[in-house]
């Protein structure tokens, strides 16, 4: 595992068995693994506190399987996003412990040491969506944040067409560290939430909507043009990016930004 090797290098330097220059030369060979068609960034766990994820669209099932297999051998938790059943079946053959979350289209291989934080260091992320049709993207965000060590509360179907449904959850929102708000159609929900609450809001436009929604472009522009301050906007249908960003912000709030899993 990469973390184990890094510990060994540092111990060798401390014991005088390795010079700083020799350590630097070896470290240059650690950052990635070349599979020919892909270069796996194993070093991302060390730089960012979270391992690399696998974006599945336009990759063959065999390519996804080889990448996930190589990553899982290092002991980290692997997330493969926007996966389909064919991707999962190929991964399952080489990594039997892989699980598939059909709603979120997410393949997960739980690491030998999952990225869990002590309770007092776990950020509390609320992931909410405007409508049931937004659930796949909301669940992708929620699962991503959970596998980054966060406590996640899910709130569904609280769009602005029935704003009283959202108001029912204000006590829950008050105690969260970060709010992830997922919406399609006109994408108005993040503006409303940011106008009511004190936390940073991560807005996620979805491609849900009728023709004039332009496959999520309308919601994206609404969120980018929001007059409520404190909103960050990710790309259309990017639940993974929203969950990842929420975890980073939450970890900063809890003083636990950089805590990769122990080997």
């Amino acid at each position: 595992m990469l973390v184990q090797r890094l510990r060994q290098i540092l111990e060798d330097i401390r014991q005088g068995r390795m010079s700083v220059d020799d350590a630097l030369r070896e470290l240059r060979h650690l950052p990635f693994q070349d599979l020919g068609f892909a270069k796996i960034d194993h070093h991302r766990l060390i730089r960012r506190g979270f391992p690399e994820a696998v974006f599945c669209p336009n990759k063959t099932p065999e390519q996804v399987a080889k990448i996930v297999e190589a990553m899982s051998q290092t002991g980290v938790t692997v997330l493969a996003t926007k996966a389909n059943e064919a991707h999962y079946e190929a991964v399952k053959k080489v990594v039997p412990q892989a699980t598939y979350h059909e709603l979120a289209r997410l393949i997960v291989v739980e690491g030998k040491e999952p990225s869990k934080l002590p309770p007092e260091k776990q950020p509390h992320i609320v992931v909410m969506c405007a409508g049931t049709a937004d659930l796949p993207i909301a669940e992708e965000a929620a699962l991503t944040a959970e596998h980054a060590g966060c406590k996640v509360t899910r709130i569904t179907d609280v769009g602005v067409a029935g704003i009283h449904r959202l108001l029912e959850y204000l006590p829950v929102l008050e105690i969260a560290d970060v709010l992830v708000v997922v919406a399609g159609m006109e994408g108005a929900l993040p503006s409303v939430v940011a106008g009511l609450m004190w936390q940073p809001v991560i807005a996620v436009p979805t491609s849900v909507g009728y023709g004039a929604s332009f496959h999520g472009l309308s919601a994206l522009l609404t969120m980018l043009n929001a007059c409520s301050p404190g909103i960050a906007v990710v790309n259309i249908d990017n639940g993974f990016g929203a969950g990842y960003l929420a975890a980073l912000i939450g970890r900063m709030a809890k003083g636990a930004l950089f805590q990769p899993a122990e080997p």
Side-chain angles (χ1 to χ4, degrees):
M1 183 175 176
L2 181 60
V3 175
Q4 288 177 317
R5 182 59 191 136
L6 288 171
R7 287 180 184 275
Q8 185 61 55
I9 290 172
L10 293 172
E11 183 61 27
D12 287 346
I13 294 172
R14 189 170 75 89
Q15 297 291 340
R17 296 190 293 262
M18 180 181 287
S19 71
V20 172
D21 286 342
D22 286 341
L24 286 172
R25 273 191 290 273
E26 182 155 353
L27 285 170
R28 289 193 185 100
H29 297 288
L30 289 179
F32 67 87
Q33 178 183 356
D34 194 344
L35 299 181
F37 61 88
K39 293 178 176 63
I40 303 174
D41 184 10
H42 293 303
H43 208 257
R44 195 169 304 183
L45 174 66
I46 306 303
R47 298 195 316 272
R48 300 282 288 162
F50 303 113
E52 182 179 18
V54 185
F55 182 70
C56 294
N58 291 338
K59 292 185 178 74
T60 67
E62 293 72 24
Q63 289 171 335
V64 171
K66 288 178 181 178
I67 295 170
V68 171
E69 181 183 27
M71 291 182 66
S72 66
Q73 288 172 352
T74 70
V76 301
T77 293
V78 184
L79 302 183
T81 67
K82 309 298 186 192
N84 58 35
E85 287 282 356
H87 290 129
Y88 173 61
E89 291 302 323
V91 169
K92 188 78 172 174
K93 288 178 183 177
V94 295
V95 188
Q97 70 271 30
T99 57
Y100 184 52
H101 299 267
E102 186 176 2
L103 179 63
R105 296 176 57 200
L106 189 69
I107 299 171
V108 177
V109 179
E110 196 73 69
K112 295 174 184 175
E113 283 289 335
S115 298
K116 296 196 183 299
L117 299 167
E120 69 276 7
K121 292 288 188 180
Q122 289 181 6
H124 180 199
I125 312 298
V126 167
V127 177
M128 70 183 77
C129 64
T132 305
D134 301 310
L135 266 173
I137 306 305
E139 187 61 13
E140 182 185 39
L143 287 168
T144 299
E146 284 179 337
H147 286 286
C150 302
K151 173 188 174 183
V152 175
T153 298
R154 294 161 171 83
I155 299 174
T156 60
D157 200 20
V158 289
V160 297
I163 201 67
H164 57 290
R165 299 172 298 177
L166 171 66
L167 302 179
E168 193 77 17
Y169 289 95
L170 292 185
V172 179
L173 303 186
E174 282 284 357
I175 60 174
D177 296 302
V178 186
L179 307 175
V180 176
V181 186
V182 183
M185 299 289 188
E186 85 278 34
L189 185 60
S191 243
V192 173
V193 172
L196 291 170
M197 307 309 299
W198 59 271
Q199 301 95 329
V201 170
I202 300 171
V204 190
T206 72
S207 52
V208 171
Y210 300 104
S213 70
F214 296 106
H215 304 288
L217 181 60
S218 177
L220 173 64
L221 294 176
T222 295
M223 294 173 186
L224 289 172
N225 285 299
C227 62
S228 298
I231 299 176
V233 185
V234 299
N235 209 343
I236 299 167
D237 290 340
N238 189 8
F240 167 77
Y244 190 106
L245 179 57
L248 283 175
I249 295 171
R251 284 188 170 207
M252 289 181 68
K254 296 292 188 182
L257 178 60
F258 184 70
Q259 288 196 8
E262 291 293 326

